[in-house]
Amino acid sequence: MGFMKPRLAPVEADTFRSLPRRERLEILTRHWVEHGFGSPYAVFLFYVVKCLLYMGGAALVISLTPGLGPVTDIAAWWSEPIVYQKLIVFTLLWEIVGLGCGSGPLTSRFNPPIGSVLYWLRPDTIRLPPWPDKVPLTRGDRRGVVDVLLYAAVLASGIWLLGRPGDGTRITGFGHVGLIDPTAAVPLIATVAILGLRDKTIFLAARGEQYWLSLLIFFFPYNDQFIGFKLVMLAIWWGAATSKLNHHFPFVVATMMSNAPLIPSRRLKRLFYRDHPRDIRPAKLPFLLAHVGTATEYLVPLYLVFIGDGGWWTWAALIYMAVFHLHILSTVPMGVPLEWNIFFIFSLFYLFGAHGDLSVRDLQSPWLLAVILPSLVLLPLLGNIRPDLVSFLPAMRYYAGNWATSVWVFTGDAVDRLEAGLTTSMRLAAHQLETLYDPDTALLTISKADAFRSMHAHGRALNGLVDRIADGQDDAVRVEGEVIAGFAIGWNFGEGHLHDDQLLRAVQARCDFAPGEVRVICLEGQPIHRQTQAYEIHDASLGLLERGQVKVHDMLERQPWPTDGPDYPVYDVETLHPLQPVAGQARPVPPMDTAS
């Protein structure tokens, strides 16, 4: 591995192309154990620079607030109440432009490194309304001039809000700058909400479950407002901890640690697996770390919010949680929620340090709870019980490995027609890589996306489900749903509901595929009270072909390569159309042959 050269699996590209899918995945997943994605150093430098720009940009922009002082004197004003408000607005804009989560090479975005703004200011790209049959004026899947203007209005209102001065409210212990006039946040609140009803992708990209909700808290006085910010943080920590109460999370830990750039030792990485290369299910170590992480997100925030008094133990808890988030940051997880973790680290010392004297017991207005509890309690509760109804983001099921996922299977020239038929601002990831590397390197690099998915528990189910629609030939192309979403709608962050049958219908309206040319296997997340996950198989032309259930236990017992052929165990199957195998065995997008 060099500055620009990735670390590739030890196989010749021509040989790799000729191998059956099982053997390709064996090579890729065994290589993942020791090398992760195999990203070159330039990729990690890209993310370091991006994080520095986020921190430096936020400090510079916030310092322009009248009355704060220059950025060179940040130590004198970093704890001012208006600073946190401005940071929320800045971070929302950073995310909604596409610079935060879901950006860069680790989200299969190579050239260009972002989508988002390049798509959402462009007419005729695909939009995905959340409730087109229920909310008036949201039907359709084509971005129009109104959608582009709404997105531009979000950017303009956010920038305008960043430039607003404080209202001069006197807050004991702080300066005279005060807080943002809450009415100034109305344009941003309204435009994000309206735009989100026309395209759920943008609301999710804005991390609306945290930053948009926090804008509503601006309407409360200082004491209640900052208690509200603390409760938002608490809900996210507890939501994340609750989502980890499953069998999936140890797989996430092992997979994430294999990709951690600060763990160069291959021997250490192998400790996360039972018996590499023969058995690469998680060993006891990731189970232990999973339990520690879950306990951390329950207990330390509990102490900070309800018990901490600003003394020695409070600062010990702050430092512990900062190290916890720094650890997540250092692994550079796929999806790259890096700025989000930086925001959390700052929030720790800001809310529970500089403003640690505010206790939830001092809450004055019950209306604050009326505003935030539906989002902080009811939505996560519904999302854990019915994951098909709520995105894992507002359901606060972060990092858990229990997400909706999909695999798209193409035959013939369907991939070429997909690229030709959609209005986009980039090509598929394999073709983006061809602008940076030779075709062989591009093939072996993008194939690691399949390894990443297969390393998770749900990936083992997807491997088995793919074989239900593959007949052993070699002329079909298997594409990870995240790659399709990034290409088709400009943003992906592990949210399988952005590349399910709704996106397939939008694609079909533009490309008119024949029966069997494109099929999508959608695997839903696991409900918290069940040990099964629902799946559906859709055909672009015929619609829903089959639905059923897979058992989590069956996933846990398998290696990250297919072992059952078409006989992967499925339950409660309902067949709506005969499930004839596609004409080919699913495989990664090959830059030279069927996908070129």
Side-chain angles (χ1 to χ4, degrees), residues 181-471:
D181 179 356
T183 60
V186 170
L188 182 58
I189 293 171
T191 51
V192 170
I194 295 170
L195 187 58
L197 291 174
R198 289 188 58 83
D199 189 353
K200 62 186 179 183
T201 310
I202 300 180
F203 187 83
L204 295 175
R207 303 305 303 272
E209 82 281 1
Q210 180 174 358
Y211 304 127
W212 184 82
L213 177 63
S214 294
L215 294 177
L216 301 180
I217 301 175
F218 285 13
F219 286 86
F220 293 87
Y222 164 72
N223 282 17
D224 286 356
Q225 183 175 150
F226 276 67
I227 291 170
F229 293 148
K230 293 182 181 185
L231 291 176
V232 170
M233 297 287 292
L234 176 69
I236 292 174
W237 276 315
W238 279 6
T242 302
S243 71
K244 295 179 175 68
L245 301 176
N246 59 47
H247 297 291
H248 302 269
F249 188 50
F251 289 78
V252 176
V253 173
T255 304
M256 188 167 64
M257 297 306 291
S258 286
N259 194 51
L262 297 184
I263 304 180
S265 170
R266 288 184 287 176
R267 182 178 179 181
L268 179 57
K269 291 181 178 181
R270 288 195 295 268
L271 294 178
F272 288 89
Y273 303 89
R274 295 189 184 183
D275 185 21
H276 178 267
R278 289 168 291 276
D279 184 353
I280 51 178
R281 290 174 295 171
K284 293 182 179 179
L285 179 57
F287 279 85
L288 173 62
L289 294 179
H291 291 314
V292 170
T294 303
T296 292
E297 289 181 313
Y298 272 132
L299 299 178
V300 182
L302 172 69
Y303 176 81
L304 288 173
V305 174
F306 295 105
I307 303 174
D309 57 3
W312 187 91
W313 283 107
T314 296
W315 282 97
L318 290 176
I319 293 171
Y320 178 84
M321 283 303 292
V323 171
F324 177 80
H325 282 282
L326 281 172
H327 165 69
I328 298 172
L329 193 67
S330 71
T331 64
V332 195
M334 307 289 280
V336 290
L338 306 181
E339 293 87 349
W340 189 54
N341 278 282
I342 293 172
F343 181 90
F344 266 67
I345 293 170
F346 178 82
S347 298
L348 279 165
F349 293 103
Y350 186 93
L351 294 177
F352 302 100
H355 297 262
D357 57 321
L358 287 175
S359 169
V360 292
R361 294 182 292 273
D362 300 325
L363 181 66
Q364 297 295 317
S365 174
W367 289 109
L368 174 67
L369 300 180
V371 169
I372 65 176
L373 287 187
S375 294
L376 300 185
V377 177
L378 298 183
L379 267 182
L381 179 62
L382 178 61
N384 277 282
I385 296 173
R386 288 289 305 273
D388 58 311
L389 297 181
V390 184
S391 160
F392 85 95
L393 292 171
M396 299 184 182
R397 294 186 290 114
Y398 309 113
Y399 293 131
N402 180 23
W403 316 294
T405 55
S406 78
V407 176
W408 291 50
V409 181
F410 299 83
T411 62
D413 64 349
V415 169
D416 291 333
R417 288 161 52 205
L418 175 73
E419 283 203 320
L422 303 189
T423 299
T424 67
S425 296
M426 63 181 66
R427 300 192 68 189
L428 279 166
H431 295 141
Q432 295 176 44
L433 278 169
E434 285 187 287
T435 66
L436 303 172
Y437 300 110
D438 62 86
D440 289 351
T441 300
L443 167 64
L444 294 175
T445 299
I446 195 57
S447 296
K448 276 303 200 61
D450 284 333
F452 167 77
R453 182 63 65 201
S454 296
M455 293 295 290
H456 293 82
H458 55 247
R460 299 161 199 233
L462 286 171
N463 284 337
L465 292 171
V466 164
D467 278 344
R468 291 178 62 77
I469 60 171
D471 66 1

Side-chain angles (χ1 to χ4, degrees), residues 55-112:
M55 293 185 290
L60 178 61
V61 169
I62 294 171
S63 73
L64 300 177
T65 303
L68 280 188
V71 69
T72 54
D73 196 26
I74 191 172
W77 53 261
W78 75 276
S79 62
E80 286 291 322
I82 199 172
V83 169
Y84 198 71
Q85 294 181 309
K86 292 285 184 85
L87 182 62
I88 289 169
V89 177
F90 181 88
T91 308
L92 185 152
L93 286 175
W94 185 269
E95 296 288 352
I96 209 169
V97 168
L99 295 171
C101 303
S103 63
L106 290 181
T107 58
S108 297
R109 234 180 297 283
F110 303 96
N111 185 23

Side-chain angles (χ1 to χ4, degrees), residues 28-65:
L28 294 171
T29 53
R30 286 169 173 157
H31 189 259
W32 182 283
V33 167
E34 297 183 329
H35 305 289
F37 198 78
S39 301
Y41 296 122
V43 167
F44 299 113
L45 179 61
F46 167 83
Y47 287 114
V48 169
V49 171
K50 192 163 71 73
C51 288
L52 292 175
L53 289 175
Y54 166 72
M55 293 185 290
L60 178 61
V61 169
I62 294 171
S63 73
L64 300 177
T65 303

